Amino acid sequence: MTPGTTDRKIDRLIHLLVKNATLVVPGPKIAAEIGVTRSTVWMWIERLRSLGVEIKGYPSSGYQLQALPDILAPSLVRPELGENEIGRRIVHFFRTDSTNNVAAQLAAKGEPHGTVVVAEEQTAGRGRLGRSWYSEKTSGIYVSVILRPPLAPTAAPVLTLVAGLAAHQAVSQVAGVPVDIRWPNDLLLHGKKLGGILTEMSAEMDRLHAVIIGIGLNVNHRAMPAELKEIATSLRLEGGRPYARVPVLVALLKELERHYRLLLEEGSAAVVRRWAAASTFAEGKRVRVRSNADEFEATTAGLEANGALRVRRADGREQLLVSGEIVEVK
Ligand code: BTN
Protein backbone atom coordinates (compact mmCIF):
# COMPACT_ATOMS: atom_id res chain seq x y z
CA MET A 1 0.00 0.00 0.00
CA THR A 2 1.29 3.51 -0.80
CA PRO A 3 2.26 5.15 2.54
CA GLY A 4 -0.51 7.35 3.90
CA THR A 5 -3.21 5.90 1.66
CA THR A 6 -6.63 5.77 3.28
CA ASP A 7 -6.97 2.36 4.84
CA ARG A 8 -9.29 0.19 2.76
CA LYS A 9 -11.08 -0.55 6.02
CA ILE A 10 -11.97 3.12 6.59
CA ASP A 11 -13.35 3.07 3.08
CA ARG A 12 -15.48 0.08 4.10
CA LEU A 13 -16.62 1.93 7.22
CA ILE A 14 -17.79 4.86 5.05
CA HIS A 15 -19.53 2.42 2.73
CA LEU A 16 -21.22 0.62 5.63
CA LEU A 17 -22.52 3.88 7.13
CA VAL A 18 -23.83 5.01 3.73
CA LYS A 19 -25.50 1.64 3.06
CA ASN A 20 -27.28 1.89 6.43
CA ALA A 21 -27.83 5.62 6.12
CA THR A 22 -31.03 5.91 8.14
CA LEU A 23 -30.19 3.25 10.70
CA VAL A 24 -28.24 3.19 13.93
CA VAL A 25 -25.45 0.66 13.35
CA PRO A 26 -24.04 -0.94 16.53
CA GLY A 27 -20.31 -0.32 17.10
CA PRO A 28 -19.56 -4.05 17.68
CA LYS A 29 -21.31 -4.93 14.41
CA ILE A 30 -19.22 -2.39 12.47
CA ALA A 31 -16.06 -3.66 14.17
CA ALA A 32 -16.85 -7.28 13.32
CA GLU A 33 -17.85 -6.54 9.71
CA ILE A 34 -14.68 -4.68 8.86
CA GLY A 35 -12.37 -6.65 11.12
CA VAL A 36 -11.05 -3.98 13.53
CA THR A 37 -11.49 -3.28 17.25
CA ARG A 38 -14.32 -1.11 18.61
CA SER A 39 -11.82 1.51 19.70
CA THR A 40 -10.46 1.70 16.13
CA VAL A 41 -14.02 2.22 14.88
CA TRP A 42 -14.42 5.05 17.39
CA MET A 43 -11.10 6.61 16.30
CA TRP A 44 -12.07 6.48 12.63
CA ILE A 45 -15.52 7.93 13.35
CA GLU A 46 -13.74 10.86 15.04
CA ARG A 47 -11.48 11.20 11.97
CA LEU A 48 -14.51 11.33 9.67
CA ARG A 49 -16.20 13.87 11.95
CA SER A 50 -13.12 16.07 11.71
CA LEU A 51 -13.65 16.06 7.93
CA GLY A 52 -17.21 17.30 8.36
CA VAL A 53 -19.03 13.96 8.13
CA GLU A 54 -22.04 14.19 10.47
CA ILE A 55 -22.25 10.99 12.51
CA LYS A 56 -24.42 10.79 15.62
CA GLY A 57 -23.26 8.44 18.38
CA TYR A 58 -25.74 6.70 20.70
CA PRO A 59 -23.83 5.43 23.77
CA SER A 60 -25.61 2.10 24.05
CA SER A 61 -26.78 1.43 20.50
CA GLY A 62 -24.24 2.66 17.91
CA TYR A 63 -23.61 5.20 15.16
CA GLN A 64 -25.95 6.86 12.66
CA LEU A 65 -25.06 8.96 9.63
CA GLN A 66 -26.93 12.27 9.69
CA ALA A 67 -26.31 13.28 6.09
CA LEU A 68 -24.68 11.59 3.11
CA PRO A 69 -20.96 12.35 3.38
CA ASP A 70 -19.14 14.29 0.68
CA ILE A 71 -15.84 12.45 0.98
CA LEU A 72 -14.14 11.39 -2.25
CA ALA A 73 -13.86 7.83 -0.95
CA PRO A 74 -13.27 5.12 -3.57
CA SER A 75 -16.34 3.21 -2.32
CA LEU A 76 -18.54 6.22 -3.12
CA VAL A 77 -16.88 7.22 -6.42
CA ARG A 78 -16.06 3.95 -8.17
CA PRO A 79 -19.59 2.50 -8.39
CA GLU A 80 -20.65 5.64 -10.29
CA LEU A 81 -18.00 5.19 -12.97
CA GLY A 82 -19.38 2.08 -14.69
CA GLU A 83 -17.00 0.83 -17.37
CA ASN A 84 -14.71 3.90 -17.22
CA GLU A 85 -11.08 2.81 -17.52
CA ILE A 86 -10.03 6.02 -15.79
CA GLY A 87 -10.79 5.43 -12.11
CA ARG A 88 -10.83 1.63 -12.23
CA ARG A 89 -8.34 1.95 -9.38
CA ILE A 90 -8.58 4.92 -7.04
CA VAL A 91 -5.94 5.69 -4.42
CA HIS A 92 -7.40 8.01 -1.78
CA PHE A 93 -5.66 10.12 0.85
CA PHE A 94 -7.08 12.19 3.68
CA ARG A 95 -3.88 14.20 3.40
CA THR A 96 -0.79 14.02 1.21
CA ASP A 97 1.86 16.42 -0.11
CA SER A 98 0.78 16.47 -3.77
CA THR A 99 -1.32 13.94 -5.67
CA ASN A 100 0.94 14.56 -8.71
CA ASN A 101 3.96 13.44 -6.65
CA VAL A 102 2.19 10.29 -5.51
CA ALA A 103 0.93 9.53 -9.04
CA ALA A 104 4.46 9.97 -10.45
CA GLN A 105 5.87 7.57 -7.84
CA LEU A 106 3.16 5.02 -8.60
CA ALA A 107 3.67 5.41 -12.36
CA ALA A 108 7.41 4.82 -11.93
CA LYS A 109 6.55 1.55 -10.18
CA GLY A 110 4.43 0.44 -13.13
CA GLU A 111 0.93 1.53 -12.07
CA PRO A 112 -1.41 1.00 -15.05
CA HIS A 113 -3.19 3.52 -17.27
CA GLY A 114 -6.26 5.03 -15.63
CA THR A 115 -5.22 4.93 -11.97
CA VAL A 116 -6.52 7.94 -10.07
CA VAL A 117 -4.93 9.51 -6.99
CA VAL A 118 -7.19 11.81 -5.01
CA ALA A 119 -6.77 13.69 -1.72
CA GLU A 120 -9.03 15.58 0.66
CA GLU A 121 -6.11 17.91 1.43
CA GLN A 122 -2.63 18.61 -0.01
CA THR A 123 0.15 20.04 2.10
CA ALA A 124 2.35 20.93 -0.89
CA GLY A 125 -0.05 21.20 -3.83
CA ARG A 126 1.83 22.34 -6.93
CA GLY A 127 0.72 24.67 -9.73
CA ARG A 128 2.33 25.53 -13.05
CA LEU A 129 5.44 27.65 -13.37
CA GLY A 130 6.70 26.67 -9.92
CA ARG A 131 3.68 28.10 -8.11
CA SER A 132 1.86 26.41 -5.26
CA TRP A 133 -1.79 25.29 -5.35
CA TYR A 134 -3.99 26.25 -2.41
CA SER A 135 -5.51 22.93 -1.28
CA GLU A 136 -7.82 23.52 1.69
CA LYS A 137 -9.17 20.42 3.43
CA THR A 138 -12.33 18.86 1.91
CA SER A 139 -13.13 22.05 0.00
CA GLY A 140 -11.69 21.26 -3.40
CA ILE A 141 -11.01 18.39 -5.73
CA TYR A 142 -7.31 17.53 -5.88
CA VAL A 143 -6.85 14.68 -8.29
CA SER A 144 -4.15 13.20 -10.52
CA VAL A 145 -4.66 10.66 -13.27
CA ILE A 146 -2.01 8.34 -14.70
CA LEU A 147 -2.29 8.02 -18.48
CA ARG A 148 -0.20 5.82 -20.71
CA PRO A 149 -1.10 7.12 -24.16
CA PRO A 150 0.19 5.48 -27.33
CA LEU A 151 1.52 8.86 -28.48
CA ALA A 152 4.84 10.57 -29.13
CA PRO A 153 6.09 13.01 -26.42
CA THR A 154 5.43 15.91 -28.80
CA ALA A 155 1.70 15.13 -28.60
CA ALA A 156 1.60 15.54 -24.81
CA PRO A 157 0.49 19.24 -24.76
CA VAL A 158 -2.84 18.25 -26.33
CA LEU A 159 -3.52 16.11 -23.26
CA THR A 160 -3.63 19.35 -21.24
CA LEU A 161 -6.34 20.61 -23.59
CA VAL A 162 -8.16 17.27 -23.21
CA ALA A 163 -8.13 17.75 -19.44
CA GLY A 164 -9.22 21.39 -19.65
CA LEU A 165 -12.09 20.46 -21.89
CA ALA A 166 -13.11 17.60 -19.59
CA ALA A 167 -13.09 19.91 -16.55
CA HIS A 168 -15.09 22.51 -18.48
CA GLN A 169 -17.74 19.97 -19.48
CA ALA A 170 -17.93 18.37 -16.02
CA VAL A 171 -18.38 21.66 -14.15
CA SER A 172 -20.91 22.98 -16.69
CA GLN A 173 -22.97 19.77 -16.46
CA VAL A 174 -22.97 19.41 -12.68
CA ALA A 175 -23.10 23.05 -11.56
CA GLY A 176 -24.74 24.64 -14.61
CA VAL A 177 -22.44 27.68 -14.42
CA PRO A 178 -20.84 29.56 -17.35
CA VAL A 179 -17.24 28.34 -17.13
CA ASP A 180 -14.58 29.44 -19.58
CA ILE A 181 -11.15 27.93 -20.41
CA ARG A 182 -8.11 30.19 -20.67
CA TRP A 183 -5.25 28.78 -22.73
CA PRO A 184 -3.54 26.58 -21.94
CA ASN A 185 -5.27 25.18 -18.91
CA ASP A 186 -7.14 27.53 -16.57
CA LEU A 187 -10.78 27.08 -15.76
CA LEU A 188 -12.40 30.47 -15.15
CA LEU A 189 -15.72 31.45 -13.64
CA HIS A 190 -16.84 35.06 -13.86
CA GLY A 191 -13.27 35.97 -14.86
CA LYS A 192 -11.60 34.35 -11.84
CA LYS A 193 -9.69 31.10 -11.63
CA LEU A 194 -11.82 28.13 -10.57
CA GLY A 195 -9.42 25.36 -11.53
CA GLY A 196 -6.07 24.51 -13.03
CA ILE A 197 -4.22 21.64 -14.63
CA LEU A 198 -0.63 20.53 -14.15
CA THR A 199 0.56 18.04 -16.77
CA GLU A 200 3.81 16.21 -16.11
CA MET A 201 5.36 13.34 -18.00
CA SER A 202 8.11 10.80 -18.05
CA ALA A 203 9.35 9.99 -21.53
CA GLU A 204 12.22 8.97 -23.74
CA MET A 205 12.99 10.88 -26.93
CA ASP A 206 10.33 9.07 -28.93
CA ARG A 207 8.17 7.31 -26.36
CA LEU A 208 5.91 8.48 -23.56
CA HIS A 209 6.08 6.30 -20.45
CA ALA A 210 3.40 8.02 -18.47
CA VAL A 211 1.61 11.33 -18.32
CA ILE A 212 0.29 12.63 -15.02
CA ILE A 213 -2.67 14.94 -15.38
CA GLY A 214 -3.20 16.84 -12.13
CA ILE A 215 -6.44 18.76 -11.79
CA GLY A 216 -7.40 21.16 -9.00
CA LEU A 217 -10.93 22.52 -8.73
CA ASN A 218 -12.09 25.02 -6.12
CA VAL A 219 -15.51 23.77 -5.07
CA ASN A 220 -16.62 24.66 -1.54
CA HIS A 221 -14.06 27.22 -0.37
CA ARG A 222 -15.98 29.81 1.69
CA ALA A 223 -13.20 32.35 1.13
CA MET A 224 -9.93 32.47 -0.77
CA PRO A 225 -6.71 33.63 0.98
CA ALA A 226 -6.09 37.39 0.72
CA GLU A 227 -3.37 37.03 -1.93
CA LEU A 228 -5.69 35.00 -4.22
CA LYS A 229 -8.99 36.77 -3.58
CA GLU A 230 -8.81 39.02 -6.63
CA ILE A 231 -7.86 36.27 -9.07
CA ALA A 232 -9.37 33.02 -7.76
CA THR A 233 -12.78 31.82 -6.71
CA SER A 234 -14.82 28.69 -5.89
CA LEU A 235 -18.15 27.31 -7.07
CA ARG A 236 -19.58 28.04 -3.62
CA LEU A 237 -18.39 31.65 -3.64
CA GLU A 238 -19.95 32.27 -7.06
CA GLY A 239 -23.07 30.11 -6.69
CA GLY A 240 -23.87 31.08 -3.10
CA ARG A 241 -24.35 27.44 -2.02
CA PRO A 242 -22.23 24.36 -1.37
CA TYR A 243 -21.84 21.73 -4.11
CA ALA A 244 -21.46 17.98 -3.57
CA ARG A 245 -17.93 17.08 -4.69
CA VAL A 246 -18.51 13.40 -5.50
CA PRO A 247 -20.72 14.12 -8.57
CA VAL A 248 -18.18 16.70 -9.81
CA LEU A 249 -15.32 14.18 -9.54
CA VAL A 250 -17.40 11.45 -11.20
CA ALA A 251 -18.34 13.75 -14.10
CA LEU A 252 -14.71 14.88 -14.39
CA LEU A 253 -13.36 11.33 -14.69
CA LYS A 254 -16.07 10.35 -17.20
CA GLU A 255 -15.45 13.42 -19.34
CA LEU A 256 -11.70 12.86 -19.18
CA GLU A 257 -12.18 9.36 -20.54
CA ARG A 258 -14.59 10.59 -23.25
CA HIS A 259 -12.22 13.26 -24.52
CA TYR A 260 -9.16 11.02 -24.21
CA ARG A 261 -10.92 8.51 -26.49
CA LEU A 262 -11.83 11.35 -28.85
CA LEU A 263 -8.12 12.20 -29.07
CA LEU A 264 -7.09 8.61 -29.80
CA GLU A 265 -9.92 7.95 -32.26
CA GLU A 266 -10.21 11.25 -34.15
CA GLY A 267 -6.90 12.95 -33.47
CA SER A 268 -5.87 16.22 -31.88
CA ALA A 269 -7.66 18.44 -34.44
CA ALA A 270 -11.03 17.15 -33.12
CA VAL A 271 -10.02 18.01 -29.54
CA VAL A 272 -8.72 21.44 -30.54
CA ARG A 273 -11.97 22.23 -32.41
CA ARG A 274 -14.06 21.44 -29.34
CA TRP A 275 -11.67 23.29 -27.06
CA ALA A 276 -11.91 26.39 -29.24
CA ALA A 277 -15.72 26.18 -29.21
CA ALA A 278 -15.71 26.08 -25.38
CA SER A 279 -13.25 28.94 -24.81
CA THR A 280 -13.59 32.68 -25.36
CA PHE A 281 -9.78 32.87 -25.46
CA ALA A 282 -9.22 30.95 -28.70
CA GLU A 283 -9.78 33.83 -31.07
CA GLY A 284 -10.08 37.61 -31.03
CA LYS A 285 -9.21 38.15 -27.37
CA ARG A 286 -6.84 40.97 -26.36
CA VAL A 287 -4.30 39.44 -24.05
CA ARG A 288 -1.05 40.10 -22.29
CA VAL A 289 1.36 37.26 -23.07
CA ARG A 290 4.08 36.00 -20.75
CA SER A 291 6.25 33.43 -22.49
CA ASN A 292 9.83 32.64 -21.44
CA ALA A 293 11.45 36.01 -20.78
CA ASP A 294 9.13 37.80 -23.20
CA GLU A 295 6.09 39.90 -22.26
CA PHE A 296 3.85 41.67 -24.78
CA GLU A 297 0.26 42.44 -25.79
CA ALA A 298 -1.45 40.64 -28.65
CA THR A 299 -4.75 39.31 -29.96
CA THR A 300 -5.45 35.58 -30.03
CA ALA A 301 -5.86 34.13 -33.53
CA GLY A 302 -6.82 30.45 -33.17
CA LEU A 303 -5.19 27.19 -32.15
CA GLU A 304 -3.00 24.85 -34.17
CA ALA A 305 -3.87 21.14 -34.30
CA ASN A 306 -1.07 20.45 -31.78
CA GLY A 307 -2.62 22.83 -29.24
CA ALA A 308 -0.25 25.79 -29.79
CA LEU A 309 -1.94 29.22 -29.60
CA ARG A 310 -1.49 31.70 -32.44
CA VAL A 311 -1.28 35.35 -31.36
CA ARG A 312 -1.04 38.50 -33.49
CA ARG A 313 0.91 41.56 -32.29
CA ALA A 314 -0.23 45.11 -33.04
CA ASP A 315 2.29 45.34 -35.95
CA GLY A 316 0.73 42.25 -37.58
CA ARG A 317 3.52 39.82 -36.65
CA GLU A 318 2.19 36.41 -35.68
CA GLN A 319 3.69 34.04 -33.16
CA LEU A 320 2.88 30.52 -31.98
CA LEU A 321 2.83 29.94 -28.23
CA VAL A 322 3.56 26.46 -27.00
CA SER A 323 3.97 27.40 -23.35
CA GLY A 324 3.59 30.40 -21.11
CA GLU A 325 0.47 32.19 -19.95
CA ILE A 326 -1.99 34.81 -21.08
CA VAL A 327 -4.24 37.23 -19.22
CA GLU A 328 -7.09 39.20 -20.69
CA VAL A 329 -6.49 42.90 -21.31
CA LYS A 330 -9.68 44.85 -20.67
C1 BTN B 1 -2.15 25.57 -12.25
O1 BTN B 1 -3.14 26.17 -12.67
O2 BTN B 1 -1.12 26.19 -11.96
C2 BTN B 1 -2.20 24.08 -12.11
C3 BTN B 1 -2.79 23.64 -10.78
C4 BTN B 1 -2.86 22.14 -10.61
C5 BTN B 1 -3.28 21.73 -9.22
C6 BTN B 1 -3.51 20.26 -9.10
S1 BTN B 1 -4.28 19.79 -7.58
C7 BTN B 1 -4.00 18.11 -7.93
C8 BTN B 1 -2.62 18.01 -8.54
N1 BTN B 1 -1.61 17.90 -7.51
C9 BTN B 1 -0.80 18.96 -7.48
O3 BTN B 1 0.15 19.12 -6.69
N2 BTN B 1 -1.15 19.83 -8.45
C10 BTN B 1 -2.29 19.35 -9.21
Side-chain angles (χ1 to χ4, degrees):
M1 196 168 85
T2 309
T5 313
T6 302
D7 195 316
R8 212 169 279 160
K9 289 177 178 168
I10 300 196
D11 197 22
R12 280 175 62 198
L13 168 63
I14 297 170
H15 189 63
L16 201 82
L17 290 170
V18 170
K19 219 173 62 190
N20 295 287
T22 53
L23 307 173
V24 177
V25 194
K29 184 175 172 215
I30 300 178
E33 272 200 35
I34 58 182
V36 294
T37 63
R38 288 171 64 181
S39 61
T40 302
V41 171
W42 177 81
M43 212 169 67
W44 286 351
I45 296 270
E46 285 304 305
R47 177 106 202 237
L48 293 175
R49 284 181 174 146
S50 78
L51 291 167
V53 181
E54 291 171 53
I55 303 167
K56 199 158 174 189
Y58 298 90
S60 52
S61 42
Y63 299 101
Q64 184 186 35
L65 204 57
Q66 300 296 290
L68 283 179
D70 193 34
I71 297 291
L72 305 173
S75 64
L76 303 182
V77 176
R78 206 183 304 104
E80 305 299 318
L81 288 173
E83 293 298 297
N84 235 54
E85 229 186 327
I86 294 179
R88 195 166 283 168
R89 185 165 123 77
I90 300 177
V91 180
H92 176 267
F93 290 82
F94 284 110
R95 178 193 285 158
T96 191
D97 56 352
S98 149
T99 55
N100 262 40
N101 292 354
V102 177
Q105 287 153 13
L106 289 175
K109 287 189 200 142
E111 191 70 27
H113 172 87
T115 293
V116 165
V117 181
V118 62
E120 303 296 331
E121 180 182 4
Q122 295 184 119
T123 52
R126 293 188 287 112
R128 282 179 73 229
L129 310 169
R131 295 180 184 136
S132 61
W133 186 257
Y134 180 64
S135 309
E136 188 182 304
K137 183 167 86 176
T138 59
S139 296
I141 291 178
Y142 317 115
V143 65
S144 300
V145 180
I146 299 174
L147 299 179
R148 296 196 182 272
L151 300 171
T154 47
V158 181
L159 289 167
T160 298
L161 300 190
V162 164
L165 197 49
H168 176 275
Q169 301 293 93
V171 173
S172 318
Q173 279 165 23
V174 177
V177 289
V179 268
D180 197 358
I181 331 177
R182 177 172 59 196
W183 187 92
N185 67 350
D186 294 337
L187 216 60
L188 302 184
L189 181 54
H190 303 145
K192 290 185 176 179
K193 190 151 162 169
L194 185 73
I197 293 156
L198 178 66
T199 307
E200 296 177 310
M201 61 173 174
S202 74
E204 283 167 48
M205 285 295 282
D206 56 352
R207 199 168 69 90
L208 273 178
H209 294 304
V211 177
I212 311 297
I213 306 272
I215 305 174
L217 290 177
N218 302 332
V219 182
N220 286 327
H221 302 62
R222 291 166 194 267
M224 297 310 283
E227 67 279 13
L228 296 176
K229 233 160 107 177
E230 298 303 316
I231 52 167
T233 191
S234 72
L235 276 177
R236 183 181 194 142
L237 281 168
E238 298 301 308
R241 66 169 178 92
Y243 288 80
R245 289 177 308 148
V246 171
V248 180
L249 177 60
V250 168
L252 179 63
L253 299 179
K254 284 187 174 168
E255 287 299 318
L256 196 55
E257 172 130 343
R258 197 159 76 83
H259 289 92
Y260 179 70
R261 284 181 193 274
L262 177 76
L263 173 67
L264 296 191
E265 284 159 20
E266 295 182 30
S268 61
V271 171
V272 166
R273 255 196 318 276
R274 291 192 193 196
W275 192 97
S279 168
T280 67
F281 282 81
E283 200 146 10
K285 182 82 99 189
R286 291 275 315 141
V287 292
R288 179 140 204 93
V289 178
R290 272 187 224 117
S291 178
N292 302 321
D294 219 7
E295 192 166 337
F296 57 91
E297 283 191 13
T299 304
T300 61
L303 267 79
E304 298 294 294
N306 65 1
L309 179 68
R310 185 176 294 282
V311 292
R312 191 175 303 118
R313 299 197 192 214
D315 61 8
R317 268 188 301 152
E318 288 194 351
Q319 190 169 333
L320 277 180
L321 303 178
V322 287
S323 63
E325 61 178 345
I326 57 174
V327 282
E328 182 171 10
V329 176
K330 296 223 168 120

